[in-house]
Amino acid sequence: MDIRSTGAKRVPLERDRRWTVVKYALLSRVACLILGIVSSAIVNDYDASAQLVLAPATTYLAQVLRTLAHIVLRWDAFYFVHIAGSGYVYEQEHAFFPLLPILMRTLTQTVLRPLVAVGGEQAVLAVAGCIISNACFVAAAVTLYALGQYTLRNERLAYIASLLFVFAPSNMFMSAVYTESLFAWLVFSAMLCIARRQHVVASLLLCASSLCRSNGVMYAGYLVWDVVVRREAWIGKRWTQMVVRAVAAAGLVAVSVLGFVGFQIYGYRTHCLQPLYPNHPSRAYCDGLPATVYGFVQAEYWDVGFLRYYTWSQIPNFLLAAPMIVLSIAGIYTCAAHDPVRLATLGWKRRPSLQTASLDTAFLGNRLLPHIYLWVLLLAVATTTMHVQVITRMFSAVPAVFWFAAHLASKDR
């Protein structure tokens, strides 16, 4: 008898597979760090910036801390470490949201405080960021497994998807001092709470996610979908009840985006009301909406904007992003082709020829619809406005990517 065929035997299977996901996630983190150590030892590092900010090692423990910090201190990680240690000093640092630096500083000043005297604050802050990222990665993998069970109604696909997440191409970024792991855990947890109808908790998690990354505000749409858009929310309800639900949804969304809004207000107060550099020319965001500090900084310092990346020199970056773009287009097309009527009507109507059962489980189920809409939105933003090569790590927080990959890899489709 298949162990999944009865409810009594399904629980041990899920428990075993949950621990399997944990073990593989931990092993992948160890493998990434070992790969980083080996690469650093045998490959000349063209970027010596880490050597300039880390204190010299005088003891064996200090050398261990310095080695680990040297591995994870790359590119954006320097900004997060600087913000965690000194706050927001420069305008361009407002491209990096404060939740990860806050957690890094908190961990450094509490649990890791004794190590500061040994390895220096910069090294310990980097190690703290590495610990947070790796712990959140493991938590995100387990949460994705649970979310997949709720959404797909197919334990095997949920398990495969979580393993694909563990070994995704964005793996190295998930171990570094970057926000991807923390953000993925927050939004996966919020989606799981929404699936369980725990909307208030979900809004708080999404609030934290919008304090972690700017695209966290897009995930607030899940609350609107679950409370007022999906067809099942209207069954047996009077119009007055739906008005109340709409007001509740607006309140939940307001809480969800509070992290992003609060950070923009902080930037406005820092650079407009009490400027660090009084002689600095006035910025567009000081004149009020629709300009924001984040939007200005991205355009001014990183040349982010609509179709700005469409130049001949960026062709290599588009080729680097091509696998994820192709996978995304294929996944969205597969869902749309299965029932275009359902996709176009937000799930309110469906193609009559389809069996009802086929709409309830696996990748083509009704519960996938909000995930597909988010996937479409993020794909459009990534390919027209962002630095397109970051799409692989950006989509590490898009569950539908891994569910579709699991769908392709499964024999059940």
Side-chain angles (χ1 to χ4, degrees):
M1 179 183 293
D2 189 342
I3 197 171
R4 294 171 292 172
S5 61
T6 65
K9 293 185 177 180
R10 185 173 180 178
V11 174
L13 173 66
E14 293 175 359
R15 187 184 299 116
D16 290 344
R17 284 190 165 173
R18 187 181 301 113
W19 280 111
T20 301
V21 171
V22 171
K23 287 186 288 187
Y24 276 120
L26 289 172
L27 286 173
S28 72
R29 297 311 88 205
V30 173
C32 280
L33 291 176
I34 292 175
L35 179 61
I37 293 172
V38 173
S39 299
S40 180
I42 64 177
V43 178
N44 289 328
D45 192 355
Y46 71 91
D47 182 4
S49 303
Q51 304 289 350
L52 301 177
V53 301
L54 296 176
T58 57
T59 66
Y60 177 75
L61 179 57
Q63 183 59 48
V64 171
L65 292 173
R66 181 182 171 87
T67 300
L68 181 56
H70 180 262
I71 293 169
V72 298
L73 267 180
R74 291 292 186 273
W75 302 297
D76 294 355
F78 284 101
Y79 286 98
F80 288 117
V81 169
H82 182 262
I83 293 166
S86 305
Y88 286 87
V89 177
Y90 306 106
E91 183 182 54
Q92 62 265 36
E93 291 179 322
H94 287 267
F96 305 94
F97 280 58
L99 182 59
L100 179 59
I102 290 172
L103 295 178
M104 291 164 57
R105 186 164 187 82
T106 301
L107 187 60
T108 300
Q109 293 182 339
T110 53
V111 178
L112 302 181
R113 188 177 183 84
L115 297 179
V116 175
V118 178
E121 185 182 52
Q122 298 296 309
V124 178
L125 283 170
V127 170
C130 180
I131 292 172
I132 292 167
S133 290
N134 285 277
C136 287
F137 177 84
V138 176
V142 175
T143 306
L144 179 62
Y145 173 59
L147 177 63
Q149 290 177 287
Y150 264 88
T151 307
L152 302 173
R153 293 295 194 268
N154 185 310
E155 190 278 335
R156 183 171 179 271
L157 280 183
Y159 176 65
I160 295 173
S162 62
L163 293 182
L164 290 172
F165 172 81
V166 166
F167 297 106
S170 57
N171 227 282
M172 286 301 296
F173 289 101
M174 309 297 273
S175 282
V177 187
Y178 273 62
T179 56
E180 274 70 16
S181 291
L182 174 59
F183 183 75
W185 173 63
L186 288 170
V187 295
F188 291 169
S189 299
M191 293 175 194
L192 183 59
C193 286
I194 292 172
R196 294 170 173 171
R197 306 293 183 262
Q198 298 169 339
H199 296 131
V200 174
V201 177
S203 68
L204 294 175
L205 289 167
L206 289 175
C207 176
S209 77
S210 72
L211 194 63
C212 181
R213 291 183 64 88
S214 62
N215 50 314
V217 299
M218 299 182 183
Y219 288 74
Y222 281 98
L223 288 166
V224 178
W225 172 273
D226 198 66
V227 177
V228 296
V229 175
R230 63 187 180 91
R231 186 173 182 272
E232 293 80 4
W234 288 76
I235 296 176
K237 302 292 193 307
R238 297 191 299 270
W239 72 269
T240 52
Q241 292 175 300
M242 292 310 301
V243 170
V244 172
R245 290 175 70 88
V247 173
L252 292 168
V253 169
V255 172
S256 300
V257 302
L258 194 58
F260 177 86
V261 173
F263 184 51
Q264 300 315 299
I265 293 174
Y266 167 77
Y268 175 82
R269 291 177 60 86
T270 300
H271 297 289
C272 299
L273 300 184
Q274 299 172 339
L276 295 174
Y277 309 102
N279 297 326
H280 201 283
S282 178
R283 297 303 203 184
Y285 56 80
C286 291
D287 298 329
L289 296 175
T292 63
V293 182
Y294 174 76
F296 175 85
V297 167
Q298 286 282 9
E300 181 74 9
Y301 294 94
W302 277 271
D303 198 31
V304 172
F306 185 67
L307 300 184
R308 288 190 181 186
Y309 225 51
Y310 280 70
T311 62
W312 292 110
S313 62
Q314 298 301 337
I315 289 178
N317 285 324
F318 276 93
L319 293 175
L320 188 65
M324 182 59 72
I325 294 174
V326 172
L327 180 68
S328 297
I329 293 173
I332 294 167
Y333 174 79
T334 298
C335 185
H338 177 70
D339 191 347
V341 175
R342 181 185 60 172
L343 194 69
T345 61
L346 303 179
W348 279 71
K349 295 182 179 181
R350 63 184 179 89
R351 200 164 62 189
S353 60
L354 291 176
Q355 295 293 325
T356 302
S358 68
L359 298 176
D360 294 331
T361 60
F363 180 74
L364 301 175
N366 272 343
R367 296 178 182 87
L368 263 292
L369 283 179
H371 298 279
I372 299 301
Y373 295 135
L374 175 71
W375 201 359
V376 171
L377 176 61
L378 291 178
L379 180 62
V381 172
T383 54
T384 62
T385 306
M386 293 171 40
H387 290 183
V388 73
Q389 70 270 21
V390 307
I391 189 173
T392 301
R393 57 188 178 94
M394 178 188 180
F395 278 24
S396 62
V398 181
V401 170
F402 304 101
W403 293 336
F404 178 62
H407 170 77
L408 293 178
S410 174
K411 297 179 181 179
D412 297 338
R413 57 193 178 97

